[in-house]
C-alpha cells in the first residue's frame, strides 16, 4: 500500500471540526493564570484540553450527520479542510509563542 493512499485514508477519517475545537481549547489552556503552573502540569492540562476539544468536535460532526444536515462536498470541503488546518496551526503557534 502506498504512502499516498494511507494518507488519503487517514485524512478521510480525521475530523477537521475536531481539530478546530481542539486548537481552540488548547489555546485557551495556554492563557495566563494567576496560579503559577510548573511545565509538567501545564503540559498535562493542555493535552487534556486538546483531547476534550477534539472529542467535542467529533460529537458535533456526529450530531450534524445524525440530524442529516447538508455537508460540504468536493472542492468546497477540501478548501475548508485546508483552511481549518492552517487556522488551527496558526492559532496554536501564536498562543505557544505568547
Amino acid at each position: 500500500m502506498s504512502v499516498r493512499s494511507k494518507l488519503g485514508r487517514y485524512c478521510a477519517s480525521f475530523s477537521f471540526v475536531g481539530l478546530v475545537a481542539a486548537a481552540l481549547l488548547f489555546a485557551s489552556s495556554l492563557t495566563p493564570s494567576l496560579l503559577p503552573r510548573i511545565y509538567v502540569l501545564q503540559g498535562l492540562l493542555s493535552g487534556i484540553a486538546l483531547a476534550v476539544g477534539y472529542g467535542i468536535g467529533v460529537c458535533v460532526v456526529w450530531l450534524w450527520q445524525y440530524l442529516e444536515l447538508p455537508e460540504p462536498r468536493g472542492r468546497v470541503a477540501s478548501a475548508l479542510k485546508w483552511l481549518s488546518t492552517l487556522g488551527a496551526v496558526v492559532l496554536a503557534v501564536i498562543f505557544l509563542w505568547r
Side-chain angles (χ1 to χ4, degrees):
M1 186 175 276
S2 71
V3 173
R4 190 173 182 120
S5 66
K6 286 182 183 180
L7 183 64
R9 233 178 358 157
Y10 177 72
C11 285
S13 69
F14 187 73
S15 173
F16 289 91
V17 176
L19 174 70
V20 171
L24 288 173
L25 284 182
F26 175 73
S28 67
S29 75
L30 295 174
T31 56
S33 170
L34 293 176
L35 298 172
R37 298 181 192 136
I38 59 174
Y39 293 111
V40 174
L41 181 60
Q42 180 63 49
L44 183 66
L45 291 173
S46 295
I48 290 171
L50 187 91
V52 168
Y54 187 79
I56 289 171
V58 168
C59 287
V60 167
V61 169
W62 174 83
L63 182 63
W64 191 273
Q65 291 172 347
Y66 179 76
L67 295 173
E68 297 180 1
L69 297 172
E71 297 178 28
R73 302 269 181 226
R75 298 186 87 183
V76 173
S78 179
L80 287 174
K81 287 178 182 180
W82 280 105
L83 284 174
S84 67
T85 302
L86 180 66
V89 168
V90 167
L91 181 72
V93 167
I94 287 172
F95 272 81
L96 280 170
W97 177 59
R98 297 191 132 238

